Amino acid sequence: MRGPFVIRRRGGRADRSPAPRRAGHGAARSLLAACCGALPVLAFPAPGLWWWAYLALVPWLLLIRTAPGARRAGLDGWSGGLGFMLAMHHWLLPSLHVFLLPLAALLGLLWLPWGWLVRGLLGGTPSPLRAGAALLAVPSGWLLIELARSWEGLGGPWGLLGASQWQVPAALRLASVGGVWLVSFLVVAVNTAVALLVAASGRRSVGAVGLVACALVAGTAAWGVPAPRESGSVRVGLVQPGVFDGPGGPGARLARAEALTRSLAGQRLDLVVWGESGVGADPTGDPALAARLAALSRAVGAPLLVNVDARAAGRPGIYKSAVLVGPAGLTGQRYDKMRLVPFGEYVPARPLLGWVTSAGRAAKEDRRRGTEPVVMTLPARAAGASPLRVGPLICFESAFPDMSRRLARDGADLLVVQSSTSTFQDSWAPAQHASLAALRAAETGRPVVHATLTGISAAYGPDGRRIGPVLGTDASAAVVRELPLSGTTTAYVRWGDWPLYGALAVVGAVCAAEGAGALRTTGPALRGRRARTARG
């Protein structure tokens, strides 16, 4: 087989010698794409550089638009997606070890068609129509990626780009209209506009118009979307016992949680919340444990929402469950976790992938799933007062916008997240997880309590604003937070995930227009260097 040749002149004669291989160049470009894809992670906690999210994609976009062909653009998208997934989930290394790399490579494939889309709209010298379409289609393509990886089997919606804006008031107001999806769209749209300003000579006016439009949308959300109307308040105690390792750890942790709970007596509480897996046995089948918890409830004068990670009494298998205990004992109200953490709580396709349990901290036995969400009703504290309704979520279920929306639609006044990130205590995971509650509060217009065993525990009002300081990963304490209640129905609760449907329509329309030749490039497209022949 004859390979490519380069023509060199020697003494007036053409010399045909093999062209140098460019495999090294391709590998270097893929590595550069991976580094560019990892940049957005700095906008998330713990670095928390929220403003960086509006520029973080620009280097990646500029790299993709210079790809000499669709194949290279797809590889740039894939490599960048791999880098983003590795950086976003690097704290999973102690659990997954080497398995994290192929998992990131698999998820990175979601960005491969996005690479084609970016190069098709931004490559070369785009026409005004094509540049304008990029401002809508590039963010829409990103949203479809976030939708695809939000499937529980692919790890769930951890690291959605809009979640990096959890402490920006304008972004929280925007989330109340279109959820975290609308925030992600705006962030990618700003990056696309900046890329047009930087690289698309002659099309900078389109980028400037895009930035002005994004600013108008953010400003309208900040000043035009009202915060939820407050209607009363609720006093919630958060109990965080701290780290207790070793064989006697669970028992010592339970004793510490009891002592901290008793310290809350006399503070007129409506509810006391414990973190995930705070109780190691099912109190339904353990009368002594049930009596012990009921005594705690009587001591503080409020019901306890504890969390059980144990083999269920009267049912086969292990469940993670939120259990409500009142002064008289178990109330019978219980929620079993529905969406489980892949590898952490179950192993997908265990007959095929069961070997990962020997390579990391994957679940030795699959947890069982609950069947439906539950809204629990607390007893009214005053005659004639409406009883408080609580919607529990467990662990990374707080990453799913649809779950908190469903609880709000079912009448929950307060959302409670019970979590434990003790496995990742010294990583970015606790801060990232706690920040998600702010988005869920803003989306639903309901206060959210995020209670953990080992930190970070936090509370947020119905507008997503944090109430009081957090309990950090070094704290072993109990605190009381008075949270405003609201009966406001946000646009997101009413209309749901409409930005995702809009994104699908935009991408479909752009693909149809491209197929019909309606989007044309006015300047020469970027191509690889043309090979010289002997005749040339």
Side-chain angles (χ1 to χ4, degrees):
M1 183 176 67
R2 300 175 63 185
F5 289 87
V6 174
I7 308 301
R8 298 183 178 90
R9 295 284 177 181
R10 292 184 180 176
R13 228 175 16 152
D15 176 36
R16 293 168 58 87
S17 58
R21 296 185 178 272
R22 302 181 63 83
H25 173 76
R29 185 181 176 107
S30 294
L31 180 60
L32 178 60
C35 293
C36 290
L39 291 177
V41 77
L42 298 176
F44 293 83
L49 305 176
W50 62 267
W51 52 268
W52 174 242
Y54 296 93
L55 299 171
L57 295 180
V58 173
W60 193 5
L61 292 171
L62 297 180
L63 179 68
I64 294 175
R65 73 177 294 274
T66 64
R71 179 177 178 274
R72 183 65 251 181
L75 287 174
D76 290 344
W78 181 14
S79 300
L82 184 151
F84 179 71
M85 287 288 97
L86 278 178
M88 197 70 229
H89 299 91
H90 70 275
W91 42 267
L92 284 173
L93 274 171
S95 296
L96 296 182
H97 292 291
V98 295
F99 194 68
L100 181 61
L101 183 59
L103 187 61
L106 174 64
L107 292 172
L109 287 172
L110 295 172
W111 277 269
L112 191 150
W114 188 71
W116 296 335
L117 180 69
V118 170
R119 179 185 180 275
L121 294 176
L122 296 179
T125 304
S127 66
L129 182 60
R130 185 179 288 270
L135 290 173
L136 293 176
V138 172
S140 295
W142 185 280
L143 243 61
L144 295 184
I145 295 170
E146 292 195 336
L147 171 63
R149 70 185 187 87
S150 294
W151 178 46
E152 177 196 343
L154 290 180
W158 194 283
L160 302 184
L161 198 56
S164 66
Q165 307 302 295
W166 66 278
Q167 54 186 337
V168 181
L172 294 174
R173 297 273 51 79
L174 203 63
S176 72
V177 176
V180 67
W181 315 111
L182 191 54
V183 184
S184 286
F185 183 94
L186 183 71
V187 171
V188 182
V190 171
N191 278 273
T192 307
V194 173
L196 284 169
L197 279 174
V198 171
S201 177
R203 299 293 173 256
R204 292 191 174 93
S205 60
V206 179
V209 169
L211 286 178
V212 171
C214 291
L216 287 174
V217 170
T220 301
W223 290 288
V225 179
R229 295 184 302 274
E230 297 181 7
S231 56
S233 62
V234 58
R235 291 176 60 82
V236 182
L238 284 72
V239 175
Q240 181 177 299
V243 178
F244 289 89
D245 295 324
R253 182 174 59 229
L254 178 60
R256 177 61 177 165
E258 286 181 294
L260 290 172
T261 302
R262 291 186 186 278
S263 71
L264 299 175
Q267 300 198 43
R268 298 183 300 104
L269 298 175
D270 295 290
L271 180 67
V272 176
V273 183
W274 288 14
E276 178 188 15
S277 307
V279 179
D282 188 352
T284 305
D286 190 337
L289 177 59
R292 189 174 169 183
L293 295 173
L296 269 181
S297 176
R298 290 192 297 271
V300 297
L304 271 62
L305 186 64
V306 300
N307 192 276
V308 177
D309 182 7
R311 207 165 295 280
R315 294 186 294 173
I318 300 175
Y319 289 82
K320 283 197 173 182
S321 308
V323 177
L324 188 65
V325 183
L330 300 177
T331 65
Q333 300 184 76
R334 178 188 187 116
Y335 166 68
D336 297 324
K337 187 176 183 181
M338 298 171 61
R339 296 184 182 173
L340 304 176
V341 180
F343 300 101
E345 294 169 341
Y346 78 102
V347 176
R350 185 176 285 272
L352 178 64
L353 301 176
W355 61 270
V356 301
T357 59
S358 61
R361 300 175 184 173
K364 304 298 182 183
E365 179 180 348
D366 292 349
R367 267 48 174 180
R368 302 295 183 94
R369 300 175 187 273
T371 56
E372 60 182 1
V374 174
V375 175
M376 301 175 177
T377 303
L378 306 186
R381 294 191 59 84
S386 299
L388 185 72
R389 307 194 72 197
V390 176
L393 297 168
I394 301 175
C395 192
F396 98 136
E397 287 183 331
S398 66
F400 294 86
D402 66 299
M403 295 196 72
S404 53
R405 176 176 176 257
R406 167 69 184 273
L407 291 172
R409 290 176 64 89
D410 288 349
D413 303 305
L414 169 70
L415 303 181
V416 174
V417 182
Q418 296 175 299
S419 176
S420 171
T421 50
S422 54
T423 304
F424 314 105
Q425 189 74 356
D426 299 319
S427 71
W428 294 354
Q432 288 179 11
H433 197 186
S435 69
L436 296 176
L439 272 298
R440 305 294 86 87
E443 289 168 345
T444 60
R446 299 292 180 267
V448 178
V449 168
H450 182 88
T452 72
L453 290 181
T454 60
I456 295 173
S457 297
Y460 302 89
D463 58 354
R465 177 175 49 91
R466 194 174 69 201
I467 306 296
V470 302
L471 287 177
T473 54
D474 58 346
S476 176
V479 295
V480 176
R481 295 287 179 258
E482 185 164 355
L483 307 175
L485 295 172
S486 175
T488 300
T489 301
T490 64
Y492 177 70
V493 170
R494 184 180 295 113
W495 299 326
D497 300 324
W498 62 267
L500 296 175
Y501 304 126
L504 185 61
V506 167
V507 172
V510 167
C511 291
E514 182 70 21
L519 300 175
R520 299 187 182 278
T521 301
T522 58
L526 289 173
R527 296 178 182 174
R529 176 176 293 181
R530 188 174 179 181
R532 294 183 60 191
T533 63
R535 177 179 298 178

